[in-house]
Amino acid sequence: MMKTEQPTTTLPDSGERSEFNTGAVRDAMSGKGMPSLIPPDALRAVAKRFEDGATKYGRDNWKKGIPLSRYVDSLYRHLWSYMEGCTEEDHGGAIIWNAMCLVQTREWIKKGKLPEELNDL
């Protein structure tokens, strides 16, 4: 039986450490974000919105590229409905969905994964 070499991996290191009462040590988390602080109800709402969109338009339809202005316009319409107390649909989930897709689409445009013409703001 032939032995294969395992690749050597190096963990990223910020140079700072967090030490716990148990004596365990980890790399510091400053600047990395704190997903544990994201409200679970908001995550559930946006997850449901992604599910509903996949059912209506097909899985990952939004990833094909939608102009940024469409996300902004929809976000504001849902925000106004939310502020007015409208409960005909989950406007909170729609606000989060539009904001997430707006940010992700803009990042993909910057990285060249989607065409610049989608940035119509």
Side-chain angles (χ1 to χ4, degrees), residues 29-69:
M29 53 187 271
S30 178
K32 297 178 181 178
M34 295 183 73
S36 61
L37 297 178
I38 299 172
D41 289 336
L43 288 176
R44 282 187 195 93
V46 76
K48 182 67 169 94
R49 197 69 182 196
F50 273 100
E51 178 186 357
D52 292 346
T55 300
K56 183 173 182 178
Y57 300 109
R59 185 181 179 96
D60 296 330
N61 175 68
W62 71 276
K63 290 181 179 181
K64 296 174 185 175
I66 295 171
L68 297 180
S69 65

Side-chain angles (χ1 to χ4, degrees), residues 47-118:
K48 182 67 169 94
R49 197 69 182 196
F50 273 100
E51 178 186 357
D52 292 346
T55 300
K56 183 173 182 178
Y57 300 109
R59 185 181 179 96
D60 296 330
N61 175 68
W62 71 276
K63 290 181 179 181
K64 296 174 185 175
I66 295 171
L68 297 180
S69 65
R70 293 294 298 268
Y71 292 120
V72 171
D73 292 344
S74 181
L75 192 154
Y76 274 107
R77 286 192 300 271
H78 285 288
L79 178 61
W80 296 331
S81 292
Y82 185 87
M83 291 169 62
E84 293 168 343
C86 180
T87 58
E88 66 191 27
E89 67 177 290
D90 180 10
H91 294 291
I95 293 164
I96 299 165
W97 184 89
N98 278 284
M100 289 178 76
C101 293
L102 173 69
V103 169
Q104 188 63 63
T105 298
R106 182 173 246 172
E107 284 302 309
W108 284 340
I109 292 168
K110 286 180 190 175
K111 293 176 180 177
K113 293 182 178 184
L114 285 173
E116 179 64 37
E117 66 209 33
L118 293 175

